[in-house]
Amino acid sequence: MSSSLSRLFQYARHYRRDAYLASLFSVCNKFFDILPEVLIGVAVDVVVSKQDSFLARLGITDTFHQLLWLGLLTVLIWGGESLFEYLYQLRWRNLAQNLQHDLRLDAYRHVQKLPLAYFENKSTGNLMSILNDDINQMERFLNGGANSIIQVLCSSVLVSAVFFYLAPKLAVIALFPVPLILFGTFWFQRRIAPRYAAVREAVGVVNGRLNNNLLGIATIKAFTAEEFEAEHIRDASERYRAANARAIRLSSAIIPVIRMAILAGFVVTLVYGGYLALSGAIGVGSYSVLVYLTQRLLWPLTGLADIADLYQRSMTAIDRVLGVLAAPLTIDYHGAPLPAAQVSGALAFNKLSFGYGEQQVLHEVSLQVPAGRTVAFVGATGSGKSTLIKLLLRFYESAHGSITLDGQDIRALALADLRRAIGYVSQDVFLTDGTVAANIAYGMPHASREAIIAAARAAEADEFIARLPQGYDTAVGERGQKLSGGQRQRLALARAILKDPRILVLDEATSAVDNETEAAIQRSLEVVSRGRTTLVIAHRLSTVRHADCIYVLEHGRVMETGTHEQLLAAGGSYAALWRLQTGERSSITA
């Protein structure tokens, strides 16, 4: 895990000054923290030795004056200790907060840039655990653990120096347990590392199940599957508890082992140090200093167990967070600029092949989409329709074939500019937990209220928005749960209209809406598609019958091409599907 710590230091290099200052304040605080024990020994020396005390040898012969000096030094020492405690607390806590903030934002920004392929085998709950719980774990370590480690090391050095100055022989024996304690602590830490890695993975699974169930709570209720899902959560939580129990069994053994080593050191100082004092080898004041310092050094070492535990949890968490940051960005965001005003919208798919893993979806698909025309893609589920759109938006990259926009390979264009030129409306509408107006203006924060209302009217959404409690200022709830599916779809269309893109993409935008909403969306599309390239994916052929060109896909290949009338006349799979859909509607009407 030292590699995780070094990776964190490398990531946080712009905070090195803060870390150095915080460490310096921790050292200074510990220096002043140890001095009161020394003063106790000096005070005992003054009371016992009087004019022959240590202070008398420094020139302060009067015992009362010696006590006054001790009082003044005590005030200064306690004041210094309090000052540096305030300073190190301030520095470490601010460092923890700032680093937590930066790490979470950087990790989230990096996750946003990762290709969709990265998320295929990743649990959303596990990513949530990394971006939230794991980063908080690091914050907890920096808040207290880092200072504790520094102060334990500092105490060891300072107390050892005093011991060797006052009684070298005693120091060798009494401090012998310290290296053993440090070695044992880090031995435990290495052994416990894989157990905490299992704990972090287990908590990610719990978060994943909770996230999935809360999003699907309506389905769970509808199928009365509450007990079934509760059992799933119980199973995941039980695995988390078992993983934690395995870690706890090992971490709990650290403190008893350290206590036995501490006991040996303290007894040696108490007995052998007392013998040296009685025989006159060391003074009574020196003996008092050694007894107090032994306790000051050795007993806090029991806290090493908690520190090591916190450190290991933090290193495991940091390793997971930095692992996300290290995930390669396989899609290049840079490229030639694409000014929106210069986009005409002519698209060409050239011998495009693509697969998800070993599953091939597209096979050398070639087709042309002239600028300003409406083109539709129809076909059975899995025929490759939506994959074409995902490749156009560069959610995925294809190693075989190419897509060009106005004659330029889209892989050579700046990704942000490419996506700004495309208005995308999907079947699964994403709405934020904001107002209606904020959702229409999503990604366009400077849009005026007038433009938002105009876009809503164009999408025939203004009427239902006006009936909402606060109109355009009504909060839609998480993922728009306060709105119906049709209302969410109209807001998504209004969002695309407000964007005013040169290319409009509708991916099954009307598949989950009622006939009235579909008709309203169709009327809107007839207006907004004029003068812009429009790509429509639909199962309902009535949605695409007025398209300038319809491509019929089967198993990743273009099987038929033409207008609605031409395809009906050809009598192929499109005509068969049309007869099936219209026949179903006729029978329903009858």
Side-chain angles (χ1 to χ4, degrees):
M1 284 300 164
S2 59
S3 61
S4 301
L5 190 59
S6 63
R7 289 169 66 194
L8 179 63
F9 283 156
Q10 179 62 27
Y11 170 81
R13 56 188 177 275
H14 53 292
Y15 284 118
R16 284 178 182 173
R17 181 177 179 274
D18 291 324
Y20 291 150
L21 282 174
S23 301
L24 175 62
F25 295 149
S26 293
V27 170
C28 292
N29 169 260
K30 180 49 62 177
F31 173 75
F32 281 101
D33 182 51
I34 287 175
L35 288 180
E37 275 68 27
V38 177
L39 287 182
I40 292 174
V42 174
V44 171
D45 185 50
V46 168
V47 172
V48 173
S49 303
K50 298 182 176 132
Q51 283 81 9
D52 296 324
S53 68
F54 172 75
L55 289 180
R57 292 195 295 273
L58 294 178
I60 308 172
T61 56
D62 184 78
T63 53
F64 182 69
H65 288 167
Q66 291 177 14
L67 293 175
L68 289 178
W69 273 103
L70 285 176
L72 177 61
L73 287 174
T74 300
V75 172
L76 292 176
I77 288 170
W78 280 67
E81 180 188 359
S82 300
L83 172 64
F84 285 111
E85 181 171 1
Y86 167 75
L87 291 175
Y88 85 65
Q89 292 270 15
L90 190 67
R91 285 287 177 173
W92 281 121
R93 291 187 176 185
N94 282 334
L95 175 60
Q97 292 299 317
N98 293 334
L99 189 54
Q100 171 197 227
H101 174 75
D102 287 355
L103 192 56
R104 179 175 287 115
L105 287 183
D106 287 348
Y108 176 70
R109 287 192 180 104
H110 188 80
V111 165
Q112 286 190 122
K113 292 181 180 179
L114 291 169
L116 287 184
Y118 175 83
F119 300 93
E120 291 174 358
N121 298 316
K122 297 291 182 181
S123 162
T124 302
N126 193 45
L127 282 174
M128 287 288 293
S129 175
I130 291 173
L131 295 175
N132 190 35
D133 295 345
D134 287 351
I135 292 177
N136 288 344
Q137 191 71 49
M138 179 213 66
E139 178 212 0
R140 285 191 286 272
F141 171 71
L142 287 179
N143 268 339
N147 170 71
S148 297
I149 290 175
I150 291 172
Q151 294 208 334
V152 165
L153 294 175
C154 187
S155 293
S156 301
V157 172
L158 292 175
V159 172
S160 298
V162 174
F163 257 79
F164 278 100
Y165 174 76
L166 294 177
K169 292 181 180 180
L170 178 61
V172 172
I173 302 174
L175 298 179
F176 180 74
V178 174
L180 296 179
I181 291 171
L182 295 176
F183 173 80
T185 299
F186 287 105
W187 181 85
F188 271 106
Q189 176 258 320
R190 286 193 299 271
R191 291 288 301 275
I192 207 171
R195 302 193 183 197
Y196 277 134
V199 170
R200 299 315 304 165
E201 289 297 325
V203 76
V205 172
V206 173
N207 285 343
R209 287 199 179 279
L210 289 172
N211 179 71
N212 183 70
N213 287 6
L214 291 175
L215 290 176
I217 192 67
T219 302
I220 292 172
K221 288 178 176 293
F223 284 84
T224 61
E226 291 92 343
E227 287 302 317
F228 176 77
E229 291 299 342
E231 184 62 23
H232 271 181
I233 298 298
R234 190 204 66 77
D235 181 61
S237 184
E238 180 61 34
R239 293 183 183 183
Y240 171 55
R241 185 174 69 171
N244 246 326
R246 287 191 291 272
I248 290 170
R249 276 196 296 271
L250 188 58
S251 64
S252 298
I254 301 176
I255 292 180
V257 172
I258 290 177
R259 280 184 181 277
M260 292 301 100
I262 289 171
L263 176 63
F266 187 74
V267 168
V268 167
T269 303
L270 192 66
V271 177
Y272 184 56
Y275 170 76
L276 292 177
L278 289 172
S279 63
I282 61 174
V284 176
S286 297
Y287 174 61
S288 302
V289 170
L290 293 177
V291 171
Y292 280 117
L293 284 182
T294 303
Q295 187 176 22
R296 170 66 74 174
L297 170 63
L298 294 180
W299 286 114
L301 286 178
T302 57
L304 271 179
D306 293 330
I307 297 170
D309 189 74
L310 183 61
Y311 170 81
Q312 189 53 61
R313 287 177 182 269
S314 179
M315 290 304 102
T316 303
I318 287 168
D319 200 46
R320 280 160 48 90
V321 176
L322 295 180
V324 170
L325 277 171
L329 300 177
T330 56
I331 296 180
D332 185 11
Y333 271 63
H334 303 93
L338 183 67
Q342 297 179 15
V343 178
S344 62
L347 296 169
F349 297 78
N350 307 305
K351 294 185 177 180
L352 200 62
S353 297
F354 180 76
Y356 300 100
E358 297 180 357
Q359 181 185 3
Q360 197 68 12
V361 178
L362 298 177
H363 304 272
E364 294 193 345
V365 172
S366 295
L367 54 92
Q368 304 289 324
V369 182
R373 306 294 290 274
T374 297
V375 170
F377 302 104
V378 300
T381 300
S383 60
K385 307 182 300 297
S386 294
T387 299
L388 285 173
I389 302 305
K390 291 174 181 177
L391 292 173
L392 172 62
L393 286 161
R394 291 183 65 196
F395 292 159
Y396 297 89
E397 296 276 37
S398 174
H400 306 284
S402 64
I403 303 175
T404 61
L405 170 59
D406 297 337
Q408 301 183 77
D409 191 321
I410 61 172
R411 287 172 294 194
L413 300 173
L415 186 55
D417 289 349
L418 170 68
R419 290 177 178 169
R420 288 191 188 101
I422 302 172
Y424 179 58
V425 182
S426 70
Q427 177 182 359
D428 184 19
V429 177
F430 170 74
L431 297 180
T432 67
D433 187 12
T435 65
V436 169
N439 274 283
I440 294 176
Y442 185 73
M444 296 160 283
H446 303 298
S448 67
R449 177 57 71 100
E450 292 74 18
I452 292 172
I453 294 174
R457 287 173 178 165
E460 297 200 18
D462 183 65
E463 183 179 345
F464 88 78
I465 293 173
R467 294 196 299 268
L468 295 175
Q470 285 83 41
Y472 283 85
D473 296 316
T474 301
V476 301
E478 186 178 14
R479 300 181 66 85
Q481 61 184 354
K482 294 182 180 179
L483 303 178
S484 69
Q487 289 172 334
R488 290 196 294 268
Q489 204 69 53
R490 293 195 204 187
L491 290 190
L493 182 59
R495 179 191 294 168
I497 293 171
L498 180 63
K499 189 177 182 181
D500 192 25
R502 296 305 306 153
I503 302 170
L504 181 62
V505 175
L506 304 170
D507 188 358
E508 301 284 7
T510 62
S511 63
V513 299
D514 55 67
N515 291 335
E516 180 184 352
T517 302
E518 181 185 5
I521 292 176
Q522 285 296 330
R523 290 193 298 269
S524 301
L525 289 178
E526 290 176 8
V527 176
V528 301
S529 63
R530 292 171 189 165
R532 76 180 84 229
T533 304
T534 305
L535 307 181
V536 182
I537 294 175
H539 279 110
R540 296 180 185 175
L541 300 187
S542 59
T543 306
V544 301
R545 61 182 300 180
H546 299 297
D548 297 310
C549 184
I550 300 172
Y551 290 93
V552 182
L553 275 70
E554 292 182 11
H555 306 297
R557 292 182 171 87
V558 177
M559 304 303 293
E560 297 181 58
T561 307
T563 63
H564 174 72
E565 290 75 15
Q566 290 170 340
L567 292 172
L568 287 182
S573 58
Y574 180 88
L577 185 58
W578 174 260
R579 288 193 298 271
L580 177 64
Q581 290 190 4
T582 55
E584 288 175 349
R585 289 176 181 174
S586 298
S587 64
I588 291 172
T589 303

